[in-house]
Every structure is written in C-alpha cells, then in structure tokens.
C-alpha cells in the first residue's frame, strides 16, 4: 500500500516552482507541486523473515496500514511526527533497510502506553513488533545501542542485583549514567537525591509531588536509597534467574 503522507516524502523529491505558466494558465504556488517518482530495487526480503522469527514480531503481517496506531500515538502527535509506527512496519515488510536506518534516531522513542495495540483493528501488537524490528536491526549491527535499550539494561542489572528496584536509586543512578555529576554519600557511595548536577526538568517534575508527600514516606524512600532492601532469599533465586538469562542470551555480566 502506498504512503501518501507529505511528511514521509523526502524533501529532495518535492518540486514546486515559484512561477509557472502552462498553456496560458498560471499554476504558480501549490498548484504546481510535483513529487518526483522514486525507484527502489534494493529490497531485503530476509529482513521480514527475521522479524517474524522474533517472538514479538509474529503479528507484523496482520497490519493493513490503516494508521490507527500512528493516529493514537502520543509521541507522534505531541512530540515528534517522524515517529510513525505504521510507517516503520511498512518499511520493515518491504525490507527497506536504508529507510529504516534514516529513522533509527526516533524509532526507540516508544513510551509503552499501548494505545496503538489497543486500537489496532487487526490485532497487531504494535509496540512488540517495533521492538522486534529494532532487535533485528541491532543484531545486524546497522543501528547503535539506543537509549531505551541502555535503560532496559540498567534496569535489569538493578533487578538482578537486589530482586527489586528502588525508584530513587534507579532514577539518580540513571541520571549519573547520562553524564550528570551526582553527589554520593562518603560511606555507602549512594546518590544523594537532588544534590549535584540534576537536570532542571527533573527538579521541576519532582517539585510539585514532593510538596504533598507524607514525611514518613519521604524518610522511608531516603532510607531505602542508602540501605537498599533485598528480596528475601534472593541469592537462591538469583542463581535460577542467571541460568535462564544465559539460556535466553540476555545475560550481559
């Protein structure tokens, strides 16, 4: 199915003359907008097969390009119109690897709201399919490790270590990994919240809810940041988890 959205047409293929008269008729401006034809013969049909082999990619062939996913996507509508789930699926099914690579800088921006999946009339698990596409691209080495993948890895390492996550430590540990100077206590080397080079957006985001939080809740969170609680008998379960992760090929230690 053809893509007709103007935002998806490469600018160099759009031609419009400021002044154009044809057979005595002035067609200047929008009337003479021409989209130059595009010929593509470099398809990689094995790419779709590799996506289908991923557990998350099984439903990609059910997509019939209705665009419900893109129309309901908060990233596309409010943040970046280049993030277009329908178009990513379209490109993957045709095996247009070069076109996918051009959009690799935005493809990881899914916020996992699942609106696309809930509204898809064909039952496509859109978010899962996009992850499968990214996984195949990463496996082929044609994209760099994207930020959300790095966060997933950081999250997994925290769960693996303690059997649970501590929100504050996870948040400020991630802030530190982004290159900000986070101040740590001298004994346990744990990050001290909001001390150091904390991004302004985080200060603004946290300021309002912090004012209305119960003091006891804040103290409990501060305590957990310094003395991270661990799930009971976690060391025993950790061995089982490690074996499973090794078998699945996701263990990175």
């Amino acid at each position: 199915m053809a893509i007709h959205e103007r935002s998806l047409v490469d600018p160099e293929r759009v031609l419009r003359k400021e002044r154009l008269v044809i057979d005595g008729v002035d067609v200047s401006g929008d009337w003479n907008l021409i989209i130059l034809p595009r010929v593509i013969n470099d398809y990689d049909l094995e790419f779709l097969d590799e996506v289908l082999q991923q557990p998350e990619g099984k439903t990609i062939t059910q997509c019939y390009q209705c665009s419900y996913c893109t129309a309901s996507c908060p990233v596309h509508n409010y943040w970046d119109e280049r993030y277009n789930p329908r178009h990513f699926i379209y490109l993957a099914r045709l095996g247009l690897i070069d076109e996918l690579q051009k959009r690799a800088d935005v493809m990881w921006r899914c916020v996992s709201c699942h609106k696309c999946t809930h509204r898809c009339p064909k039952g496509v698990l859109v978010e899962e399919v996009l992850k499968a596409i990214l996984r195949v691209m990463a496996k082929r080495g044609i994209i760099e490790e994207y930020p959300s993948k790095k966060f997933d890895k950081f999250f997994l390492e925290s769960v693996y270590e303690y059997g649970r996550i501590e929100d504050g430590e996870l948040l400020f540990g991630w802030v530190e990994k982004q290159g900000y100077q986070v101040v740590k206590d001298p004994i346990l080397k744990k990050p001290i919240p909001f001390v150091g080079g904390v991004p302004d957006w985080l200060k603004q985001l946290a300021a309002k809810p912090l004012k209305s939080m119960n003091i006891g809740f804040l103290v409990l969170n501060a305590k957990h940041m310094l003395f991270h609680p661990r799930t009971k008998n976690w060391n025993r379960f950790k061995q089982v988890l490690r074996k499973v992760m090794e078998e699945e090929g996701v263990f990175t230690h």
Side-chain angles (χ1 to χ4, degrees):
M1 180 178 292
I3 293 289
H4 299 292
E5 295 170 35
R6 171 68 182 276
S7 62
L8 301 179
V9 178
D10 295 330
E12 60 269 20
R13 291 177 49 231
V14 178
L15 180 65
R16 185 175 62 185
K17 296 183 180 297
E18 293 184 3
R19 178 67 176 170
L20 181 64
V21 177
I22 299 177
D23 294 335
V25 179
D26 188 341
V27 292
S28 304
D30 290 339
W31 292 101
N32 71 83
L33 187 145
I34 300 171
I35 298 178
L36 299 177
R38 181 180 60 171
V39 178
I40 299 175
N41 50 27
D42 188 19
Y43 297 94
D44 185 346
L45 298 180
E46 292 183 358
F47 186 84
L48 176 60
D49 291 336
E50 291 182 41
V51 173
L52 286 169
Q53 290 172 12
Q54 305 294 314
E56 301 91 340
K58 302 293 185 186
T59 59
I60 186 172
T61 53
Q62 296 172 203
C63 175
Y64 65 169
Q65 294 289 301
C66 69
S67 197
Y68 263 82
C69 54
T70 301
S72 59
C73 176
V75 177
H76 175 79
N77 289 324
Y78 304 115
W79 188 6
D80 190 339
E81 68 173 13
R82 294 180 62 217
Y83 186 86
N84 190 324
R86 174 180 74 97
H87 193 215
F88 302 150
I89 291 175
Y90 169 81
L91 296 174
R93 291 184 64 173
L94 289 180
L96 298 176
I97 308 303
D98 291 344
E99 295 296 321
L100 284 172
Q101 278 185 290
K102 290 179 183 177
R103 294 155 179 83
D105 61 323
V106 298
M107 287 183 65
W108 55 267
R109 290 182 177 174
C110 173
V111 295
S112 300
C113 67
H114 293 282
K115 281 186 177 179
C116 53
T117 295
H118 285 297
R119 294 184 178 179
C120 177
K122 294 290 289 182
V124 179
L125 303 177
V126 181
E127 181 200 358
E128 301 297 311
V129 167
L130 295 183
K131 286 181 177 177
I133 293 172
L134 285 168
R135 182 171 295 113
V136 173
M137 294 176 72
K139 187 177 179 181
R140 290 187 171 201
I142 57 179
I143 58 172
E144 297 180 355
E145 190 174 32
Y146 43 98
S148 63
K149 184 71 175 180
K150 293 178 182 176
F151 179 79
D152 289 347
K153 181 180 177 182
F154 181 63
F155 185 95
L156 179 63
E157 289 173 348
S158 182
V159 173
Y160 181 77
E161 181 62 29
Y162 301 105
R164 54 181 290 179
I165 62 165
E166 179 54 39
D167 295 343
E169 187 169 331
L170 182 76
L171 174 61
F172 290 100
W174 178 245
V175 167
E176 183 182 21
K177 282 188 172 295
Q178 302 309 300
Y180 290 93
Q181 187 66 38
V182 175
V183 176
K184 298 181 179 179
D185 74 276
I187 300 176
L188 299 174
K189 306 299 181 185
K190 300 286 186 179
I192 300 176
F194 301 105
V195 179
V198 179
D200 290 337
W201 64 264
L202 179 57
K203 293 178 182 177
Q204 295 173 8
L205 184 69
K208 190 172 181 179
L210 277 177
K211 290 178 182 177
S212 58
M213 275 188 185
N214 181 281
I215 296 297
F217 181 76
L218 291 173
V219 171
L220 178 65
N221 276 273
K223 176 185 173 184
H224 283 178
M225 280 200 66
L226 292 175
F227 304 98
H228 199 140
R230 185 186 295 263
T231 298
K232 187 178 181 181
N233 295 323
W234 177 245
N235 283 334
R236 293 175 60 189
F237 185 77
K238 190 176 179 180
Q239 297 175 16
V240 178
L241 180 62
R242 180 187 180 91
K243 184 176 181 181
V244 173
M245 293 169 72
E246 287 176 343
E247 291 177 354
E248 295 292 329
V250 297
F251 192 74
T252 56
H253 286 68

